[in-house]
Amino acid sequence: MNNQLFYKAIDEVKSHIDKFQDLTKDMSKLRVSLIYQNFDYSHIIIKSKKIIGTQKLTIAPSIYDIKYLFDTSFAGSIDLSGFIEEYFNNFNLLEYEKEWLLGLLFIPSFNFKALEGYKEIEAIVAITRSIQHFKNAFELASFLTKDEG
């Protein structure tokens, strides 16, 4: 049952984190920005182009906003494809940021040991969501690396 997908995702984590480490080993600074950390469509007034609910604004690497959106939408509640394309058309990630983000996104999203007390259907739902999360991460990786080869 999709064990190979989990192993492949873990291999991806190692690969991207190794690349991140190699790209940043001689750096003394990393890029940061003002991030929201709490995306919710109800926090945006579209007509006024204003954001409300700024309690969690902080200065941090921008990849964490993307990770939050990805983690909260992978179950299908939000279609990120248009947002992601528009975001990356306006804000290009540096190579080390791409590797960092992808390394984080391929980390399994649940603990297998935690499933021991679950009912079978709850375990199946958790595993299915994790599989969909990996598939979306592979799609994002393909999108982010499409110009590289």
Side-chain angles (χ1 to χ4, degrees), residues 24-88:
T24 59
K25 67 182 173 192
D26 296 325
M27 295 176 71
S28 60
K29 298 177 184 179
L30 299 177
R31 183 168 64 166
V32 295
S33 58
L34 186 62
I35 67 169
Y36 195 54
Q37 299 187 96
N38 192 27
F39 181 81
D40 187 324
Y41 280 118
S42 66
H43 294 178
I44 300 174
I45 302 173
I46 302 288
K47 291 179 183 177
S48 302
K49 295 183 181 179
K50 293 183 180 180
I51 296 176
I52 57 175
T54 59
Q55 301 86 346
K56 289 191 166 189
L57 283 176
T58 191
I59 296 174
S62 61
I63 64 165
Y64 286 102
D65 261 348
I66 299 166
K67 182 177 181 339
Y68 176 81
L69 281 171
F70 192 87
D71 288 347
T72 58
S73 69
F74 76 85
S77 60
I78 301 171
D79 178 12
L80 282 184
S81 57
F83 171 82
I84 292 291
E85 188 170 337
E86 186 65 27
Y87 181 91
F88 290 122

Side-chain angles (χ1 to χ4, degrees), residues 90-138:
N90 290 294
F91 185 81
N92 292 320
L93 291 180
L94 301 172
E95 283 306 307
Y96 81 86
E97 292 171 319
K98 291 177 185 179
E99 298 301 337
W100 190 1
L101 174 62
L102 293 172
L104 291 173
L105 292 181
F106 281 108
I107 295 172
S109 60
F110 70 92
N111 181 341
F112 285 100
K113 288 283 187 190
L115 293 178
E116 290 176 1
Y118 277 53
K119 295 179 183 174
E120 187 173 346
I121 191 70
E122 292 169 333
I124 291 169
V125 168
I127 292 168
T128 301
R129 285 184 177 163
S130 191
I131 290 168
Q132 187 59 48
H133 179 89
F134 292 146
K135 288 179 179 179
N136 290 345
F138 282 112

Side-chain angles (χ1 to χ4, degrees), residues 11-27 94-103 106 141 145 148:
D11 288 342
E12 289 290 323
V13 171
K14 180 170 179 7
S15 172
H16 291 294
I17 295 302
D18 286 347
K19 289 176 187 173
F20 168 76
Q21 185 176 15
D22 188 49
L23 290 167
T24 59
K25 67 182 173 192
D26 296 325
M27 295 176 71
L94 301 172
E95 283 306 307
Y96 81 86
E97 292 171 319
K98 291 177 185 179
E99 298 301 337
W100 190 1
L101 174 62
L102 293 172
F106 281 108
T145 58
E148 296 173 10

